[in-house]
Amino acid sequence: IFKKELGRTIYAEIQNQRLSKACSLLNESDHKLESIATESGFCNASYLLNIFKRHYGMTPNKWRKTLNAKRKT
């Protein structure tokens, strides 16, 4: 029913929520990736790195550097 109504699986929605939390933590803190992975519900930093890169096309560190560069301009 979930997939029929929203066009994605429950797993995909949970993963999107976790990625959203990870992005917020990357934006708002200077925590290490392992801490961000744990706080956003991923089992470890390596798994977060793989999923993040697949979803956003860049690593979490590059994401953070891009955000910091935008803030400075």
Side-chain angles (χ1 to χ4, degrees), residues 30-53:
D30 60 351
H31 296 153
K32 292 185 178 186
L33 193 57
E34 188 65 45
S35 175
I36 290 173
T38 302
E39 290 180 52
S40 56
F42 290 92
C43 58
N44 59 50
S46 179
Y47 185 61
L48 170 58
L49 176 70
N50 289 331
I51 298 300
F52 195 97
K53 191 171 182 181

Side-chain angles (χ1 to χ4, degrees), residues 1-69:
I1 295 172
F2 190 93
K3 185 174 182 178
K4 184 179 178 183
E5 291 295 319
L6 298 176
R8 59 187 172 276
T9 64
I10 292 173
Y11 177 76
E13 180 61 25
I14 292 169
Q15 193 170 64
N16 284 340
Q17 293 298 316
R18 288 177 177 162
L19 284 169
S20 178
K21 176 69 173 177
C23 287
S24 293
L25 291 169
L26 287 165
N27 186 30
E28 300 166 0
S29 73
D30 60 351
H31 296 153
K32 292 185 178 186
L33 193 57
E34 188 65 45
S35 175
I36 290 173
T38 302
E39 290 180 52
S40 56
F42 290 92
C43 58
N44 59 50
S46 179
Y47 185 61
L48 170 58
L49 176 70
N50 289 331
I51 298 300
F52 195 97
K53 191 171 182 181
R54 189 178 320 142
H55 190 82
Y56 294 109
M58 67 178 78
T59 65
N61 286 332
K62 181 157 180 143
W63 173 275
R64 183 180 269 167
K65 287 177 185 177
T66 301
L67 289 173
N68 288 335

